[in-house]
Amino acid sequence: QRLLRLAELCRRLETEEEKVLPFYPSSLGELEQQKVCKVLEETASEPLARVMKDYMGLERFWQRFNKAKLEEKGLERARAALADRNQELRRLLQQYLAGATINQKVPKDPHPL
């Protein structure tokens, strides 16, 4: 009950964009969506199905939770890619600085760049 109450409070705090735009566009056709609606309206005979009806209010929560987790994973990958790029740029900068300090009159080793 507490979780449902918090979900209602969060719903009130959603922005207009969040209320209007769906999180996941349905990939079902019109006929399939009608069948789903029929199944959801029927009374469940199995105990698990009856219990699941009690948690239908949490569907939006799970959509938002999954969206947040996906964004988090995407940001982690982007951060890892940026860290790799940063390391590569540091390596190139060290090579450049090492080459810039070589005495140009008598180079013993070939220029690193």
Side-chain angles (χ1 to χ4, degrees):
Q1 291 298 331
R2 180 173 180 260
L3 192 57
L4 289 174
R5 209 175 14 201
L6 288 173
E8 289 174 14
L9 288 173
C10 289
R11 175 75 176 147
R12 289 185 201 139
L13 296 174
E14 286 180 350
T15 64
E16 289 300 317
E17 181 180 321
E18 290 173 326
K19 289 179 183 176
V20 174
L21 295 176
F23 288 100
Y24 302 103
S26 179
S27 60
L28 299 176
E30 189 175 325
L31 183 62
E32 292 171 321
Q33 285 180 348
Q34 290 173 355
K35 287 180 183 179
V36 167
C37 288
K38 271 185 178 178
V39 169
L40 288 175
E41 290 172 359
E42 294 174 3
T43 20
S45 59
E46 297 178 17
L48 180 59
R50 283 190 297 249
V51 170
M52 284 180 60
K53 283 219 177 226
D54 293 340
Y55 292 97
M56 288 299 286
L58 293 176
E59 181 179 353
R60 198 157 192 66
F61 165 77
W62 287 115
Q63 286 177 345
R64 298 185 113 210
F65 179 81
N66 289 337
K67 182 181 179 197
K69 281 294 184 185
L70 285 172
E71 287 178 358
E72 181 183 19
K73 291 294 180 187
L75 290 173
E76 284 176 8
R77 285 185 178 181
R79 186 176 182 175
L82 287 173
D84 291 344
R85 179 72 176 143
N86 190 25
Q87 195 67 21
E88 176 68 16
L89 290 173
R90 285 178 186 265
R91 188 184 60 76
L92 289 173
L93 182 61
Q94 286 176 350
Q95 281 183 352
Y96 174 78
L97 292 175
T101 58
I102 291 179
N103 187 350
Q104 295 297 326
K105 292 182 182 176
V106 187
K108 294 179 183 178
D109 296 330
H111 196 278
L113 296 176

CSV table of all heavy atoms in Angstrom, one decimal, residues 1-14 57-58 61 64:
chain,number,residue,atom,x,y,z
A,1,GLN,N,0.8,-1.2,0.0
A,1,GLN,CA,0.0,0.0,0.0
A,1,GLN,C,0.9,1.3,0.0
A,1,GLN,O,0.6,2.2,-0.7
A,1,GLN,CB,-0.9,0.0,1.2
A,1,GLN,CG,-2.0,-1.1,1.2
A,1,GLN,CD,-2.9,-0.9,0.0
A,1,GLN,OE1,-3.2,0.2,-0.4
A,1,GLN,NE2,-3.5,-2.0,-0.5
A,2,ARG,N,1.9,1.2,0.8
A,2,ARG,CA,2.8,2.4,0.8
A,2,ARG,C,3.5,2.6,-0.5
A,2,ARG,O,3.6,3.8,-1.0
A,2,ARG,CB,3.9,2.1,1.9
A,2,ARG,CG,4.9,3.3,2.0
A,2,ARG,CD,5.8,3.0,3.2
A,2,ARG,NE,6.7,4.1,3.3
A,2,ARG,CZ,8.0,4.1,2.9
A,2,ARG,NH1,8.5,3.1,2.3
A,2,ARG,NH2,8.8,5.2,3.0
A,3,LEU,N,3.9,1.6,-1.2
A,3,LEU,CA,4.5,1.7,-2.5
A,3,LEU,C,3.5,2.3,-3.5
A,3,LEU,O,3.9,3.2,-4.3
A,3,LEU,CB,5.0,0.4,-3.0
A,3,LEU,CG,6.0,0.4,-4.2
A,3,LEU,CD1,7.2,1.3,-3.9
A,3,LEU,CD2,6.4,-1.0,-4.5
A,4,LEU,N,2.3,1.8,-3.5
A,4,LEU,CA,1.3,2.4,-4.4
A,4,LEU,C,1.0,3.8,-4.1
A,4,LEU,O,0.8,4.6,-5.0
A,4,LEU,CB,0.0,1.5,-4.3
A,4,LEU,CG,0.1,0.1,-4.9
A,4,LEU,CD1,-1.2,-0.6,-4.6
A,4,LEU,CD2,0.3,0.2,-6.4
A,5,ARG,N,1.0,4.2,-2.8
A,5,ARG,CA,0.8,5.6,-2.5
A,5,ARG,C,1.9,6.5,-3.0
A,5,ARG,O,1.7,7.6,-3.5
A,5,ARG,CB,0.7,5.7,-1.0
A,5,ARG,CG,-0.2,6.8,-0.5
A,5,ARG,CD,-0.3,6.8,1.0
A,5,ARG,NE,0.7,5.9,1.5
A,5,ARG,CZ,0.6,5.3,2.7
A,5,ARG,NH1,-0.3,5.5,3.5
A,5,ARG,NH2,1.5,4.5,3.1
A,6,LEU,N,3.2,6.0,-2.8
A,6,LEU,CA,4.3,6.7,-3.4
A,6,LEU,C,4.3,6.8,-4.9
A,6,LEU,O,4.6,7.8,-5.4
A,6,LEU,CB,5.6,6.0,-2.9
A,6,LEU,CG,6.0,6.2,-1.4
A,6,LEU,CD1,7.2,5.3,-1.1
A,6,LEU,CD2,6.2,7.6,-1.1
A,7,ALA,N,3.8,5.8,-5.5
A,7,ALA,CA,3.7,5.8,-7.0
A,7,ALA,C,2.7,6.9,-7.4
A,7,ALA,O,2.9,7.6,-8.4
A,7,ALA,CB,3.3,4.4,-7.5
A,8,GLU,N,1.6,7.0,-6.7
A,8,GLU,CA,0.6,8.0,-7.0
A,8,GLU,C,1.2,9.4,-6.8
A,8,GLU,O,1.0,10.3,-7.6
A,8,GLU,CB,-0.6,7.8,-6.1
A,8,GLU,CG,-1.5,6.6,-6.4
A,8,GLU,CD,-2.6,6.4,-5.4
A,8,GLU,OE1,-2.9,7.3,-4.6
A,8,GLU,OE2,-3.1,5.3,-5.4
A,9,LEU,N,2.0,9.6,-5.7
A,9,LEU,CA,2.6,10.9,-5.5
A,9,LEU,C,3.6,11.2,-6.6
A,9,LEU,O,3.7,12.3,-7.1
A,9,LEU,CB,3.4,10.9,-4.2
A,9,LEU,CG,2.5,10.9,-2.9
A,9,LEU,CD1,3.4,10.7,-1.7
A,9,LEU,CD2,1.7,12.2,-2.8
A,10,CYS,N,4.4,10.2,-7.1
A,10,CYS,CA,5.3,10.4,-8.2
A,10,CYS,C,4.6,10.8,-9.4
A,10,CYS,O,5.0,11.6,-10.2
A,10,CYS,CB,6.2,9.2,-8.4
A,10,CYS,SG,7.4,8.9,-7.0
A,11,ARG,N,3.4,10.1,-9.6
A,11,ARG,CA,2.6,10.4,-10.8
A,11,ARG,C,2.2,11.9,-10.9
A,11,ARG,O,2.2,12.5,-11.9
A,11,ARG,CB,1.4,9.5,-10.9
A,11,ARG,CG,0.5,9.7,-12.0
A,11,ARG,CD,1.0,9.2,-13.3
A,11,ARG,NE,0.0,9.4,-14.3
A,11,ARG,CZ,0.3,9.7,-15.6
A,11,ARG,NH1,1.5,9.8,-16.0
A,11,ARG,NH2,-0.7,9.8,-16.4
A,12,ARG,N,1.9,12.4,-9.7
A,12,ARG,CA,1.5,13.8,-9.6
A,12,ARG,C,2.6,14.7,-10.0
A,12,ARG,O,2.4,15.8,-10.5
A,12,ARG,CB,0.9,14.2,-8.3
A,12,ARG,CG,-0.4,13.5,-8.0
A,12,ARG,CD,-1.0,14.0,-6.6
A,12,ARG,NE,-1.9,13.0,-6.2
A,12,ARG,CZ,-2.1,12.6,-5.0
A,12,ARG,NH1,-1.3,13.1,-4.0
A,12,ARG,NH2,-3.0,11.7,-4.6
A,13,LEU,N,3.8,14.3,-9.7
A,13,LEU,CA,5.0,15.1,-9.9
A,13,LEU,C,5.6,15.0,-11.3
A,13,LEU,O,6.6,15.7,-11.6
A,13,LEU,CB,6.1,14.8,-8.8
A,13,LEU,CG,5.7,15.1,-7.4
A,13,LEU,CD1,6.8,14.6,-6.5
A,13,LEU,CD2,5.5,16.6,-7.2
A,14,GLU,N,5.1,14.1,-12.1
A,14,GLU,CA,5.6,13.9,-13.4
A,14,GLU,C,5.4,15.2,-14.3
A,14,GLU,O,4.4,15.9,-14.1
A,14,GLU,CB,4.9,12.8,-14.2
A,14,GLU,CG,5.3,11.4,-13.7
A,14,GLU,CD,4.5,10.3,-14.4
A,14,GLU,OE1,3.5,10.6,-15.2
A,14,GLU,OE2,4.9,9.2,-14.3
A,57,GLY,N,-0.9,-1.7,-10.9
A,57,GLY,CA,-0.6,-0.3,-10.6
A,57,GLY,C,0.9,0.0,-10.6
A,57,GLY,O,1.3,1.2,-10.8
A,58,LEU,N,1.7,-1.0,-10.5
A,58,LEU,CA,3.2,-0.8,-10.5
A,58,LEU,C,3.8,-0.9,-11.9
A,58,LEU,O,5.0,-0.8,-12.0
A,58,LEU,CB,3.8,-1.9,-9.6
A,58,LEU,CG,3.5,-1.8,-8.1
A,58,LEU,CD1,4.1,-2.9,-7.4
A,58,LEU,CD2,4.0,-0.5,-7.6
A,61,PHE,N,5.7,2.1,-12.7
A,61,PHE,CA,6.9,2.1,-11.9
A,61,PHE,C,8.0,1.3,-12.6
A,61,PHE,O,9.2,1.7,-12.7
A,61,PHE,CB,6.7,1.6,-10.5
A,61,PHE,CG,7.9,1.3,-9.7
A,61,PHE,CD1,8.7,2.3,-9.2
A,61,PHE,CD2,8.3,0.0,-9.6
A,61,PHE,CE1,9.9,2.0,-8.5
A,61,PHE,CE2,9.5,-0.3,-8.9
A,61,PHE,CZ,10.3,0.7,-8.4
A,64,ARG,N,9.4,2.9,-15.7
A,64,ARG,CA,10.4,3.9,-15.3
A,64,ARG,C,11.7,3.4,-14.8
A,64,ARG,O,12.8,3.8,-15.1
A,64,ARG,CB,9.8,4.9,-14.3
A,64,ARG,CG,8.5,5.6,-14.9
A,64,ARG,CD,8.0,6.6,-13.9
A,64,ARG,NE,8.3,7.8,-14.6
A,64,ARG,CZ,8.5,9.0,-14.0
A,64,ARG,NH1,8.5,9.1,-12.7
A,64,ARG,NH2,8.7,10.0,-14.7
